[in-house]
Amino acid sequence: MTTLQPRRVMLRILATAAWAISMFTSTQAQEIEPRAYSNAPIGMNFFIAGYAYTDGDLPSGTLPIRNANIETSNAVAAYAHVFDLWGQSGKINVILPYTSLSGTAEGTAVLSGQTVERNINGYSDMSSKLSINLYGAPALSLKEFRNYKQDLIIGASLQITAPTGQYDSSKLVNLSTNRWSFKPEIGFSKAVGDWTGELQAGATFFSDNTDFFGGKTRSQKALYSLQGHAIYAFNAGVWGSLDATYFAGGRTTIDGTESSDLQQNWRLGGTLAFPIDAHHSIKLYASSGVSARTDNNYNLFGIAWQYRWAPGF
């Protein structure tokens, strides 16, 4: 093997292996995550540190507020591991976000139209995600992965978010949602030359928040999502994507009174990822709401650093 071959192998892995984690997880169904179901060598580990900024409405988009002018700064630390699951590659990750939030909003009719102001720093809800590639992404060692070439991949995942963040029931806007959520999803990824097209469909289900704003009970119906990506692989492991997501549903009730907050929203975005060397990568991403039935659009800008390692890598 020449001295150039190991570098080419590493660049091939960088170009093929997915970014381990969607970096802004508190958006739930609104998140945009290209390359969620691409393959990676068994035993690969990822550590991710990132920052995301939003302005506009709250990213959750489902609190009973309007005319929001809120900014959030979000630091994220995460870990992911790729493993063999019934002969196909699987991945598990854990994500811990820390958020700074400030701004004002107006309560809806359910909350008497009062204006609220909030400035808070603390941990948001922690989440974990288990993914498995059902077809087209076999479990491969680092050596075997050198000859892998993607065609069609079909995968599925389950993301669970736990109410671990900072919460105060006397406040309308909080860093935690004070409830559990469960998001099953199925994804398809098809490579044609330097292009890869992806489609992901999911639904987020919520438990009740029984201590919402003054001891009320807040319930929410399922929030359905559909996202697509057009990804282009450049030279030397660099890739970029154009991203879109649509989400609908999620109507809430507070103490049995139904809110007029049915979601029917579109977001568009873009992602650019590039390696620094075999172990380090940087990702830049941005998205913006282009259509929202309830006027709860927001803008998002983010950057993430990823470190990857594995035995023999």
Side-chain angles (χ1 to χ4, degrees), residues 2 29 135 143 146 172 211 221 246 252 255 264 279 282 292 299:
T2 69
Y135 174 85
K143 182 178 180 180
R146 298 172 183 175
L172 176 60
D211 191 23
K221 294 182 179 178
Y246 173 76
T252 64
D255 279 352
Q264 292 177 343
H279 294 278
I282 296 292
N299 301 309

Side-chain angles (χ1 to χ4, degrees), residues 44 55 59 61 64 68-69 87 91 98 138 144 181 208 210 213 233 243 245 264:
M44 188 69 69
D55 70 86
N69 182 19
K91 180 178 66 182
Y98 186 91
E144 293 169 331
S181 69
D208 290 347
T210 57
F213 194 53
D243 314 305
T245 185
Q264 292 177 343

Side-chain angles (χ1 to χ4, degrees), residues 8-306:
R8 289 171 180 167
V9 170
M10 292 303 103
L11 291 177
R12 178 181 178 84
I13 291 173
L14 291 173
T16 307
W19 260 77
I21 294 174
S22 172
M23 287 304 305
F24 197 70
T25 60
S26 64
T27 59
Q28 297 295 341
Q30 297 95 309
E31 70 187 15
I32 296 179
E33 186 181 3
R35 306 195 74 173
Y37 297 100
S38 58
N39 204 1
I42 300 305
M44 188 69 69
N45 299 282
F46 302 86
F47 175 78
I48 297 95
Y51 170 81
Y53 169 83
T54 74
D55 70 86
D57 202 340
L58 278 175
S60 64
T62 52
L63 283 180
I65 58 175
R66 61 190 177 194
N67 300 325
N69 182 19
I70 293 174
E71 297 181 354
T72 71
S73 293
N74 308 270
V76 178
Y79 169 78
H81 176 72
V82 181
F83 59 97
D84 184 336
L85 190 61
W86 301 309
Q88 297 289 320
S89 63
K91 180 178 66 182
I92 188 162
N93 64 44
V94 179
I95 307 162
L96 180 62
Y98 186 91
T99 299
S100 174
L101 178 152
S102 63
T104 60
E106 181 182 336
T108 62
V110 174
L111 299 172
S112 304
Q114 57 186 295
T115 299
V116 295
E117 182 175 354
R118 194 77 159 110
N119 293 277
I120 187 173
N121 301 281
Y123 287 102
S124 302
D125 292 336
M126 183 174 67
S127 67
S128 183
K129 184 175 182 179
L130 174 66
S131 304
I132 179 173
N133 289 316
L134 304 171
Y135 174 85
L140 301 173
S141 67
L142 188 63
K143 182 178 180 180
E144 293 169 331
F145 197 82
R146 298 172 183 175
N147 299 316
Y148 172 77
K149 186 176 181 179
Q150 180 184 332
D151 184 16
L152 172 65
I153 294 176
I154 302 174
S157 66
L158 175 64
Q159 178 172 306
I160 299 175
T161 302
T164 57
Q166 189 169 328
Y167 186 78
D168 181 351
S169 63
S170 68
K171 305 295 184 181
L172 176 60
V173 178
N174 280 282
L175 301 181
S176 172
T177 59
N178 196 41
R179 64 184 180 182
W180 291 80
S181 69
F182 306 86
K183 183 185 178 183
E185 183 182 78
I186 187 167
F188 305 87
S189 178
K190 172 67 175 178
V192 180
D194 293 328
W195 287 93
T196 302
E198 294 184 343
L199 184 67
Q200 297 156 239
T204 306
F205 302 92
F206 308 94
S207 66
D208 290 347
N209 179 357
T210 57
D211 191 23
F212 175 74
F213 194 53
K216 300 178 177 66
T217 296
R218 180 173 181 265
S219 304
Q220 185 172 7
K221 294 182 179 178
L223 190 60
Y224 301 96
S225 63
L226 184 68
Q227 61 176 294
H229 312 280
I231 304 166
Y232 185 79
F234 299 94
N235 293 327
V238 179
W239 60 269
S241 68
L242 297 176
D243 314 305
T245 185
Y246 173 76
F247 48 98
R251 189 187 295 274
T252 64
T253 59
I254 299 175
D255 279 352
T257 301
E258 190 172 77
S259 306
S260 58
D261 56 359
L262 176 70
Q263 305 293 298
Q264 292 177 343
N265 298 5
W266 281 96
R267 294 186 62 79
L268 296 177
T271 306
L272 178 65
F274 52 92
I276 299 173
D277 57 29
H279 294 278
H280 303 266
S281 297
I282 296 292
K283 182 171 76 169
L284 306 173
Y285 56 100
S287 65
S288 182
V290 295
S291 175
R293 178 182 178 273
T294 51
D295 296 323
N296 60 327
N297 281 328
Y298 64 94
N299 301 309
L300 179 146
F301 307 92
I303 183 171
W305 162 74
Q306 177 174 264

